[in-house]
Amino acid sequence: QQPVQSPQAVILREGEDAVINCSSSKALYSVHWYRQKHGEAPVFLMILLKGGEQKGHDKISASFNEKKQQSSLYLTASQLSYSGTYFCGTEIQAGANNLFFGTGTRLTVIP
Amino acid sequence: DVKVTQSSRYLVKRTGEKVFLECVQDMDHENMFWYRQDPGLGLRLIYFSYDVKMKEKGDIPEGYSVSREKKERFSLILESASTNQTSMYLCASTPGGAGAIYGYTFGSGTRLTVV
């Protein structure tokens, strides 16, 4: 039930954009996105719910295509602070309360 | 802010030892989780708990057990540690009910090495 993330790694220059994809073989109720910096705990970014709207915060936004069981995370005009590993977590039913995480996408932003 | 505290940042144990990893959260969350994180495999769910004395198996429960005697504390137990249990262990919590509305709060992790 583990979702598949792509790409596995990406290197960007400051100011460039990136898209990280997350897909599941099962119908999804929600998709979570987290960022983990090296040596630190994963930090929650946002949740997208089935039937909900695209979310966004500052220059990071995400969409959820429930028909395709896919979610994409969009990082616009990347900053050095965006570097880290991004994980999607998927929930297959409301109230299941447990997530299945992807294997992560390592994002490196260079000056 | 919700705080999830894992008692040890680094642990080194010998094969066959019984190992206890402790996790405490301070925001009265119903749900608590134990994940292990390995390079290339992401986070994999070991066990989770919806309430005191309740536990559910995750994807990889073999070789592990858990205990939740108090709401704020969720312990992961390695009955007889083996080298393939060398990993980073992450604890997380979230409010209960419609839990999907809330993001997980993770602890800083315990890096366990079994020698």
Side-chain angles (χ1 to χ4, degrees):
Chain A
Q1 301 188 57
Q2 188 175 33
V4 177
Q5 282 185 240
S6 63
Q8 290 185 324
V10 59
I11 300 174
L12 299 174
R13 291 198 179 277
E14 266 188 298
E16 291 183 335
D17 302 339
V19 180
I20 299 171
N21 299 302
C22 174
S23 63
S24 173
S25 59
K26 293 192 177 287
L28 300 176
Y29 174 73
S30 71
V31 179
H32 296 215
W33 285 97
Y34 293 79
R35 176 172 61 209
Q36 184 179 30
K37 293 184 178 288
H38 183 69
E40 298 180 9
V43 173
F44 169 69
L45 295 176
M46 65 187 80
I47 292 176
L48 298 100
L49 300 178
K50 183 178 178 180
E53 297 178 351
Q54 181 165 335
K55 290 271 188 87
H57 175 68
D58 197 11
K59 293 186 174 64
I60 299 176
S61 62
S63 63
F64 178 21
N65 185 328
E66 55 197 79
K67 289 184 179 178
K68 293 186 177 180
Q69 295 102 52
Q70 291 177 349
S71 178
S72 295
L73 186 71
Y74 307 94
L75 297 102
T76 305
S78 58
Q79 306 167 18
L80 295 176
S81 62
Y82 286 3
S83 292
T85 300
Y86 290 78
F87 293 96
C88 67
T90 56
E91 187 176 24
I92 59 175
Q93 66 181 71
N97 289 314
N98 58 299
L99 297 179
F100 296 95
F101 284 91
T103 55
T105 296
R106 179 174 289 182
L107 179 76
T108 305
V109 181
I110 58 176
Chain B
D1 284 348
V2 176
K3 195 169 181 180
V4 177
T5 303
Q6 294 184 231
S7 54
S8 302
R9 190 83 168 102
Y10 298 95
L11 274 179
V12 180
K13 296 292 182 179
R14 294 195 179 278
T15 301
E17 276 193 81
K18 190 169 185 176
V19 181
F20 293 85
L21 303 184
E22 306 288 346
C23 175
V24 177
Q25 50 92 5
D26 65 1
M27 283 298 289
D28 204 35
H29 282 178
E30 279 78 11
N31 304 325
M32 297 187 74
F33 309 85
W34 276 107
Y35 286 86
R36 63 176 284 176
Q37 183 175 25
D38 300 287
L41 297 178
L43 287 79
R44 293 179 292 165
L45 182 63
I46 305 172
Y47 268 97
F48 59 103
S49 169
Y50 294 147
D51 201 351
V52 175
K53 298 193 184 298
M54 300 288 289
K55 60 183 179 182
E56 298 282 346
K57 293 181 180 179
D59 288 337
I60 51 166
E62 296 78 19
Y64 304 94
S65 62
V66 290
S67 172
R68 194 165 180 202
E69 296 295 320
K70 293 184 178 181
K71 191 174 186 179
E72 67 271 18
R73 185 181 297 271
F74 192 34
S75 303
L76 180 68
I77 304 156
L78 287 68
E79 297 290 342
S80 178
S82 64
T83 54
N84 63 11
Q85 292 177 310
T86 291
S87 186
M88 170 68 85
Y89 290 88
L90 290 167
C91 175
S93 74
T94 192
I101 297 175
Y102 303 98
Y104 283 25
T105 300
F106 283 89
S108 297
T110 296
R111 184 166 294 281
L112 173 68
T113 302
V114 183
V115 298

